[in-house]
Short mmCIF file of all heavy atoms in Angstrom, two decimals:
data_model
loop_
_atom_site.label_atom_id
_atom_site.label_comp_id
_atom_site.label_asym_id
_atom_site.label_seq_id
_atom_site.Cartn_x
_atom_site.Cartn_y
_atom_site.Cartn_z
N LEU A 1 -4.57 -7.69 12.41
CA LEU A 1 -5.80 -7.30 11.73
C LEU A 1 -6.88 -8.33 12.05
O LEU A 1 -6.61 -9.53 12.10
CB LEU A 1 -5.58 -7.23 10.22
CG LEU A 1 -4.53 -6.24 9.73
CD1 LEU A 1 -4.34 -6.37 8.23
CD2 LEU A 1 -4.92 -4.82 10.10
N GLN A 2 -8.07 -7.89 12.25
CA GLN A 2 -9.17 -8.81 12.57
C GLN A 2 -9.87 -9.21 11.28
O GLN A 2 -10.94 -8.70 10.95
CB GLN A 2 -10.11 -8.15 13.57
CG GLN A 2 -9.45 -7.90 14.90
CD GLN A 2 -10.39 -7.26 15.89
OE1 GLN A 2 -11.57 -7.07 15.64
NE2 GLN A 2 -9.87 -6.92 17.05
N ILE A 3 -9.25 -10.14 10.56
CA ILE A 3 -9.79 -10.58 9.28
C ILE A 3 -10.65 -11.81 9.52
O ILE A 3 -10.21 -12.79 10.12
CB ILE A 3 -8.65 -10.89 8.29
CG1 ILE A 3 -7.84 -9.62 8.03
CG2 ILE A 3 -9.21 -11.47 7.00
CD1 ILE A 3 -6.60 -9.83 7.22
N ASN A 4 -11.89 -11.73 9.03
CA ASN A 4 -12.79 -12.87 9.16
C ASN A 4 -13.45 -13.16 7.82
O ASN A 4 -13.07 -12.58 6.81
CB ASN A 4 -13.83 -12.62 10.27
CG ASN A 4 -14.66 -11.39 10.00
OD1 ASN A 4 -15.07 -11.12 8.88
ND2 ASN A 4 -14.93 -10.61 11.05
N GLU A 5 -14.47 -14.01 7.82
CA GLU A 5 -15.11 -14.43 6.56
C GLU A 5 -15.94 -13.33 5.91
O GLU A 5 -16.44 -13.51 4.80
CB GLU A 5 -15.94 -15.69 6.76
CG GLU A 5 -16.93 -15.65 7.87
CD GLU A 5 -16.32 -15.84 9.26
OE1 GLU A 5 -15.29 -16.51 9.41
OE2 GLU A 5 -16.90 -15.29 10.21
N THR A 6 -16.06 -12.18 6.54
CA THR A 6 -16.74 -11.05 5.90
C THR A 6 -15.75 -9.96 5.47
O THR A 6 -16.17 -8.91 5.01
CB THR A 6 -17.80 -10.43 6.84
OG1 THR A 6 -17.16 -9.92 8.00
CG2 THR A 6 -18.85 -11.46 7.24
N SER A 7 -14.47 -10.23 5.61
CA SER A 7 -13.43 -9.26 5.26
C SER A 7 -13.08 -9.31 3.78
O SER A 7 -13.15 -10.36 3.14
CB SER A 7 -12.16 -9.55 6.07
OG SER A 7 -12.40 -9.45 7.45
N TYR A 8 -12.70 -8.14 3.27
CA TYR A 8 -12.25 -8.01 1.90
C TYR A 8 -10.84 -7.44 1.95
O TYR A 8 -10.62 -6.37 2.49
CB TYR A 8 -13.17 -7.06 1.12
CG TYR A 8 -14.53 -7.65 0.84
CD1 TYR A 8 -15.40 -7.99 1.87
CD2 TYR A 8 -14.94 -7.89 -0.46
CE1 TYR A 8 -16.64 -8.54 1.62
CE2 TYR A 8 -16.19 -8.44 -0.72
CZ TYR A 8 -17.03 -8.77 0.33
OH TYR A 8 -18.25 -9.32 0.07
N VAL A 9 -9.88 -8.17 1.39
CA VAL A 9 -8.47 -7.77 1.43
C VAL A 9 -8.02 -7.44 0.01
O VAL A 9 -8.16 -8.25 -0.90
CB VAL A 9 -7.59 -8.92 1.99
CG1 VAL A 9 -6.12 -8.54 1.94
CG2 VAL A 9 -8.02 -9.28 3.40
N ILE A 10 -7.50 -6.23 -0.16
CA ILE A 10 -6.96 -5.80 -1.45
C ILE A 10 -5.48 -5.50 -1.25
O ILE A 10 -5.12 -4.70 -0.40
CB ILE A 10 -7.70 -4.56 -1.99
CG1 ILE A 10 -9.15 -4.93 -2.30
CG2 ILE A 10 -7.00 -4.03 -3.23
CD1 ILE A 10 -9.98 -3.79 -2.81
N ILE A 11 -4.66 -6.16 -2.05
CA ILE A 11 -3.20 -6.03 -1.92
C ILE A 11 -2.67 -5.08 -2.98
O ILE A 11 -2.79 -5.35 -4.18
CB ILE A 11 -2.53 -7.42 -2.05
CG1 ILE A 11 -3.08 -8.35 -0.97
CG2 ILE A 11 -1.01 -7.28 -1.98
CD1 ILE A 11 -2.75 -9.81 -1.18
N VAL A 12 -2.12 -3.98 -2.51
CA VAL A 12 -1.51 -2.98 -3.38
C VAL A 12 -0.25 -2.52 -2.67
O VAL A 12 -0.31 -1.75 -1.71
CB VAL A 12 -2.45 -1.76 -3.61
CG1 VAL A 12 -1.80 -0.75 -4.54
CG2 VAL A 12 -3.79 -2.21 -4.16
N THR A 13 0.90 -3.03 -3.11
CA THR A 13 2.17 -2.63 -2.49
C THR A 13 3.08 -2.05 -3.57
O THR A 13 2.69 -1.93 -4.73
CB THR A 13 2.87 -3.84 -1.82
OG1 THR A 13 3.38 -4.71 -2.84
CG2 THR A 13 1.94 -4.59 -0.90
N ARG A 14 4.31 -1.78 -3.18
CA ARG A 14 5.25 -1.16 -4.11
C ARG A 14 5.99 -2.16 -5.00
O ARG A 14 6.69 -1.76 -5.91
CB ARG A 14 6.27 -0.33 -3.34
CG ARG A 14 5.66 0.90 -2.77
CD ARG A 14 6.72 1.75 -2.13
NE ARG A 14 6.11 2.90 -1.53
CZ ARG A 14 6.48 4.14 -1.76
NH1 ARG A 14 7.48 4.38 -2.55
NH2 ARG A 14 5.87 5.12 -1.17
N GLY A 15 5.87 -3.45 -4.69
CA GLY A 15 6.65 -4.39 -5.51
C GLY A 15 6.23 -5.84 -5.36
O GLY A 15 5.47 -6.20 -4.46
N HIS A 16 6.78 -6.67 -6.24
CA HIS A 16 6.46 -8.09 -6.28
C HIS A 16 6.73 -8.80 -4.95
O HIS A 16 5.92 -9.60 -4.50
CB HIS A 16 7.27 -8.79 -7.37
CG HIS A 16 6.91 -8.40 -8.76
ND1 HIS A 16 6.55 -7.13 -9.13
CD2 HIS A 16 6.86 -9.14 -9.89
CE1 HIS A 16 6.30 -7.09 -10.42
NE2 HIS A 16 6.48 -8.29 -10.91
N ARG A 17 7.86 -8.54 -4.37
CA ARG A 17 8.23 -9.22 -3.11
C ARG A 17 7.24 -8.87 -2.00
O ARG A 17 6.84 -9.74 -1.23
CB ARG A 17 9.65 -8.85 -2.69
CG ARG A 17 10.70 -9.45 -3.55
CD ARG A 17 10.93 -10.90 -3.18
NE ARG A 17 11.64 -11.57 -4.25
CZ ARG A 17 11.47 -12.83 -4.58
NH1 ARG A 17 10.63 -13.57 -3.93
NH2 ARG A 17 12.14 -13.35 -5.57
N ASP A 18 6.88 -7.61 -1.91
CA ASP A 18 5.91 -7.22 -0.88
C ASP A 18 4.53 -7.81 -1.17
O ASP A 18 3.85 -8.29 -0.27
CB ASP A 18 5.82 -5.69 -0.78
CG ASP A 18 7.09 -5.08 -0.20
OD1 ASP A 18 7.81 -5.77 0.54
OD2 ASP A 18 7.35 -3.90 -0.49
N ASP A 19 4.14 -7.82 -2.45
CA ASP A 19 2.87 -8.45 -2.82
C ASP A 19 2.87 -9.91 -2.40
O ASP A 19 1.89 -10.42 -1.87
CB ASP A 19 2.64 -8.37 -4.33
CG ASP A 19 2.26 -6.98 -4.81
OD1 ASP A 19 1.86 -6.15 -3.98
OD2 ASP A 19 2.36 -6.74 -6.02
N MET A 20 3.98 -10.57 -2.65
CA MET A 20 4.10 -11.99 -2.32
C MET A 20 3.99 -12.22 -0.81
O MET A 20 3.28 -13.11 -0.36
CB MET A 20 5.43 -12.53 -2.85
CG MET A 20 5.50 -14.03 -2.86
SD MET A 20 6.86 -14.67 -3.86
CE MET A 20 8.24 -13.70 -3.33
N ARG A 21 4.65 -11.39 -0.05
CA ARG A 21 4.59 -11.52 1.42
C ARG A 21 3.16 -11.34 1.93
O ARG A 21 2.67 -12.10 2.74
CB ARG A 21 5.48 -10.48 2.09
CG ARG A 21 6.93 -10.78 2.03
CD ARG A 21 7.73 -9.72 2.80
NE ARG A 21 9.13 -9.96 2.62
CZ ARG A 21 9.88 -9.35 1.70
NH1 ARG A 21 9.35 -8.46 0.88
NH2 ARG A 21 11.15 -9.63 1.59
N VAL A 22 2.50 -10.30 1.45
CA VAL A 22 1.15 -10.00 1.92
C VAL A 22 0.16 -11.06 1.41
O VAL A 22 -0.72 -11.49 2.16
CB VAL A 22 0.71 -8.58 1.51
CG1 VAL A 22 -0.72 -8.31 1.92
CG2 VAL A 22 1.65 -7.54 2.14
N LEU A 23 0.31 -11.50 0.17
CA LEU A 23 -0.58 -12.54 -0.36
C LEU A 23 -0.45 -13.83 0.46
O LEU A 23 -1.45 -14.46 0.79
CB LEU A 23 -0.30 -12.81 -1.83
CG LEU A 23 -1.19 -13.86 -2.49
CD1 LEU A 23 -2.67 -13.47 -2.41
CD2 LEU A 23 -0.78 -14.07 -3.95
N LYS A 24 0.76 -14.18 0.80
CA LYS A 24 0.99 -15.39 1.61
C LYS A 24 0.27 -15.26 2.97
O LYS A 24 -0.32 -16.22 3.45
CB LYS A 24 2.48 -15.61 1.81
CG LYS A 24 2.82 -16.94 2.43
CD LYS A 24 4.32 -17.16 2.44
CE LYS A 24 4.66 -18.53 2.98
NZ LYS A 24 6.11 -18.76 2.97
N LEU A 25 0.32 -14.09 3.55
CA LEU A 25 -0.38 -13.86 4.81
C LEU A 25 -1.90 -13.87 4.61
O LEU A 25 -2.65 -14.44 5.40
CB LEU A 25 0.06 -12.53 5.42
CG LEU A 25 1.51 -12.43 5.87
CD1 LEU A 25 1.89 -10.98 6.14
CD2 LEU A 25 1.77 -13.30 7.09
N ALA A 26 -2.35 -13.26 3.52
CA ALA A 26 -3.80 -13.14 3.26
C ALA A 26 -4.46 -14.49 3.01
O ALA A 26 -5.58 -14.72 3.48
CB ALA A 26 -4.04 -12.20 2.10
N ILE A 27 -3.80 -15.37 2.27
CA ILE A 27 -4.44 -16.65 1.95
C ILE A 27 -4.57 -17.55 3.17
O ILE A 27 -5.32 -18.52 3.13
CB ILE A 27 -3.77 -17.38 0.77
CG1 ILE A 27 -2.31 -17.69 1.07
CG2 ILE A 27 -3.94 -16.61 -0.51
CD1 ILE A 27 -1.61 -18.49 0.00
N ALA A 28 -3.88 -17.20 4.22
CA ALA A 28 -3.99 -17.97 5.46
C ALA A 28 -5.17 -17.50 6.31
O ALA A 28 -5.43 -18.03 7.38
CB ALA A 28 -2.69 -17.88 6.26
N THR A 29 -5.91 -16.51 5.81
CA THR A 29 -7.06 -15.97 6.54
C THR A 29 -8.36 -16.49 5.92
O THR A 29 -8.36 -16.98 4.78
CB THR A 29 -7.09 -14.42 6.47
OG1 THR A 29 -7.47 -14.02 5.14
CG2 THR A 29 -5.76 -13.81 6.87
N PRO A 30 -9.46 -16.33 6.64
CA PRO A 30 -10.75 -16.74 6.07
C PRO A 30 -11.43 -15.63 5.25
O PRO A 30 -12.63 -15.71 4.98
CB PRO A 30 -11.57 -17.07 7.31
CG PRO A 30 -11.05 -16.13 8.35
CD PRO A 30 -9.57 -16.01 8.06
N ALA A 31 -10.67 -14.60 4.85
CA ALA A 31 -11.26 -13.46 4.13
C ALA A 31 -12.14 -13.93 2.97
O ALA A 31 -11.79 -14.87 2.26
CB ALA A 31 -10.16 -12.54 3.62
N ARG A 32 -13.24 -13.25 2.79
CA ARG A 32 -14.18 -13.59 1.72
C ARG A 32 -13.64 -13.21 0.35
O ARG A 32 -13.91 -13.88 -0.64
CB ARG A 32 -15.50 -12.87 1.98
CG ARG A 32 -16.55 -13.23 0.97
CD ARG A 32 -17.87 -12.68 1.39
NE ARG A 32 -18.91 -13.22 0.54
CZ ARG A 32 -20.18 -13.04 0.77
NH1 ARG A 32 -20.56 -12.36 1.83
NH2 ARG A 32 -21.07 -13.53 -0.05
N TYR A 33 -12.91 -12.11 0.29
CA TYR A 33 -12.38 -11.60 -0.98
C TYR A 33 -10.93 -11.22 -0.77
O TYR A 33 -10.61 -10.44 0.13
CB TYR A 33 -13.21 -10.38 -1.41
CG TYR A 33 -12.76 -9.68 -2.67
CD1 TYR A 33 -13.17 -10.14 -3.91
CD2 TYR A 33 -11.95 -8.56 -2.62
CE1 TYR A 33 -12.79 -9.49 -5.08
CE2 TYR A 33 -11.57 -7.89 -3.78
CZ TYR A 33 -11.99 -8.36 -5.01
OH TYR A 33 -11.62 -7.70 -6.15
N ILE A 34 -10.06 -11.79 -1.58
CA ILE A 34 -8.64 -11.44 -1.55
C ILE A 34 -8.26 -11.10 -2.98
O ILE A 34 -8.44 -11.91 -3.89
CB ILE A 34 -7.76 -12.60 -1.04
CG1 ILE A 34 -8.16 -12.98 0.39
CG2 ILE A 34 -6.28 -12.22 -1.11
CD1 ILE A 34 -7.51 -14.25 0.89
N ALA A 35 -7.77 -9.89 -3.18
CA ALA A 35 -7.42 -9.44 -4.52
C ALA A 35 -6.06 -8.76 -4.51
O ALA A 35 -5.63 -8.20 -3.50
CB ALA A 35 -8.48 -8.47 -5.04
N MET A 36 -5.39 -8.82 -5.66
CA MET A 36 -4.08 -8.21 -5.79
C MET A 36 -4.01 -7.48 -7.13
O MET A 36 -4.44 -8.02 -8.15
CB MET A 36 -3.00 -9.29 -5.72
CG MET A 36 -1.59 -8.76 -5.74
SD MET A 36 -0.35 -10.05 -5.44
CE MET A 36 -0.50 -11.02 -6.93
N ILE A 37 -3.47 -6.28 -7.10
CA ILE A 37 -3.31 -5.49 -8.31
C ILE A 37 -2.07 -5.99 -9.06
O ILE A 37 -1.19 -6.61 -8.47
CB ILE A 37 -3.18 -3.98 -7.98
CG1 ILE A 37 -3.45 -3.13 -9.20
CG2 ILE A 37 -1.82 -3.67 -7.36
CD1 ILE A 37 -3.65 -1.67 -8.89
N GLY A 38 -2.04 -5.74 -10.35
CA GLY A 38 -0.85 -6.08 -11.13
C GLY A 38 -1.19 -6.71 -12.45
O GLY A 38 -2.33 -7.08 -12.71
N SER A 39 -0.19 -6.86 -13.28
CA SER A 39 -0.37 -7.50 -14.58
C SER A 39 -0.53 -9.01 -14.39
O SER A 39 -0.16 -9.57 -13.35
CB SER A 39 0.85 -7.23 -15.46
OG SER A 39 1.98 -7.90 -14.92
N LYS A 40 -1.05 -9.66 -15.40
CA LYS A 40 -1.18 -11.12 -15.33
C LYS A 40 0.20 -11.76 -15.18
O LYS A 40 0.37 -12.73 -14.45
CB LYS A 40 -1.91 -11.66 -16.56
CG LYS A 40 -3.39 -11.34 -16.51
CD LYS A 40 -4.16 -11.93 -17.66
CE LYS A 40 -5.63 -11.56 -17.49
NZ LYS A 40 -6.48 -12.11 -18.49
N ARG A 41 1.18 -11.21 -15.87
CA ARG A 41 2.55 -11.74 -15.77
C ARG A 41 3.07 -11.65 -14.33
O ARG A 41 3.64 -12.60 -13.81
CB ARG A 41 3.46 -10.96 -16.72
CG ARG A 41 4.86 -11.49 -16.76
CD ARG A 41 5.66 -10.76 -17.83
NE ARG A 41 6.97 -10.52 -17.28
CZ ARG A 41 7.80 -9.61 -17.69
NH1 ARG A 41 7.47 -8.81 -18.66
NH2 ARG A 41 8.96 -9.47 -17.14
N LYS A 42 2.86 -10.52 -13.71
CA LYS A 42 3.29 -10.34 -12.33
C LYS A 42 2.58 -11.33 -11.42
O LYS A 42 3.21 -11.98 -10.57
CB LYS A 42 3.01 -8.92 -11.85
CG LYS A 42 3.25 -8.72 -10.37
CD LYS A 42 2.73 -7.36 -9.94
CE LYS A 42 2.29 -7.40 -8.52
NZ LYS A 42 1.75 -6.15 -8.05
N VAL A 43 1.28 -11.47 -11.59
CA VAL A 43 0.49 -12.39 -10.76
C VAL A 43 1.00 -13.81 -10.93
O VAL A 43 1.21 -14.53 -9.94
CB VAL A 43 -1.01 -12.29 -11.10
CG1 VAL A 43 -1.80 -13.40 -10.42
CG2 VAL A 43 -1.54 -10.92 -10.69
#
């Protein structure tokens, strides 16, 4: 994916493990906005 400082990444997967995998990948990018769905407990 061509993620740069103008990219917005929204993480919506089927489960905690997948969210964790994608979030770990996303925070390594310069994306301007990184968001994840879920309860505060899950986050």
Side-chain angles (χ1 to χ4, degrees):
L1 300 175
Q2 295 180 5
I3 298 173
N4 59 40
E5 53 282 332
T6 63
S7 299
Y8 289 63
V9 176
I10 295 179
I11 301 167
V12 181
T13 72
R14 289 185 183 233
H16 292 37
R17 289 281 163 214
D18 291 335
D19 287 343
M20 194 165 48
R21 284 183 186 95
V22 176
L23 181 59
K24 190 173 183 179
L25 294 167
I27 60 176
T29 72
R32 183 171 190 172
Y33 177 84
I34 300 171
M36 185 173 68
I37 198 167
S39 67
K40 287 184 179 182
R41 184 174 139 202
K42 171 189 150 182
V43 170

